[in-house]
Amino acid sequence: MSQDARTIEIDGETFELRHSTEASEFAAWHGDTRVSLAAYRDRGEQRLFPHTETLPAWGGRGLAGAVVRYALDSTVAEGLTIVPACSFVADFVREHDDWDEHIARR
């Protein structure tokens, strides 16, 4: 399930970032609870990110940003181009130029 899990700490709590190819998502887990995710669909050499979400109780802590950063880094490492269809992902890549050369151009 998880190809490349990472552990992060936010506000003194530990979260595991996981990539599930079966579910086509990158997610942050707190114990057995998935608290944030970035869903994707692969289209040839492109990875489309249509949706992100964070459970309301976990919002405002930077979890969505951590998940998206993990997802984008993994996408680039896999040699795929990023298609930021979700407004959160689109705003994230607009605010951070780390992935500029890997964004699909229309």
Side-chain angles (χ1 to χ4, degrees):
M1 176 170 142
S2 181
Q3 296 172 239
D4 176 34
R6 294 183 194 161
T7 301
I8 61 169
E9 189 173 308
I10 296 177
D11 294 337
E13 297 195 67
T14 301
F15 300 88
E16 185 175 22
L17 299 178
R18 301 178 194 165
H19 176 199
S20 171
T21 55
E22 294 86 7
S24 296
E25 70 181 26
F26 293 87
W29 291 79
H30 187 264
D32 292 334
T33 304
R34 184 182 65 192
V35 297
S36 185
L37 69 90
Y40 69 86
R41 286 192 307 266
D42 287 344
R43 298 185 314 195
E45 298 298 313
Q46 296 182 330
R47 178 164 287 160
L48 173 77
F49 289 95
H51 179 70
T52 57
E53 69 180 65
T54 300
L55 295 178
W58 296 93
R61 299 180 187 205
L63 283 167
V67 170
V68 168
R69 181 175 296 278
Y70 173 55
L72 299 179
D73 286 345
S74 296
T75 297
V76 169
E78 291 178 48
L80 299 172
T81 303
I82 299 162
V83 180
C86 166
S87 61
F88 185 88
V89 176
D91 290 344
F92 192 87
V93 297
R94 220 179 346 269
E95 294 170 12
H96 303 89
D97 61 3
D98 306 41
W99 304 277
D100 283 355
E101 64 191 69
H102 303 285
I103 304 296
R105 304 292 174 214
R106 295 180 186 222

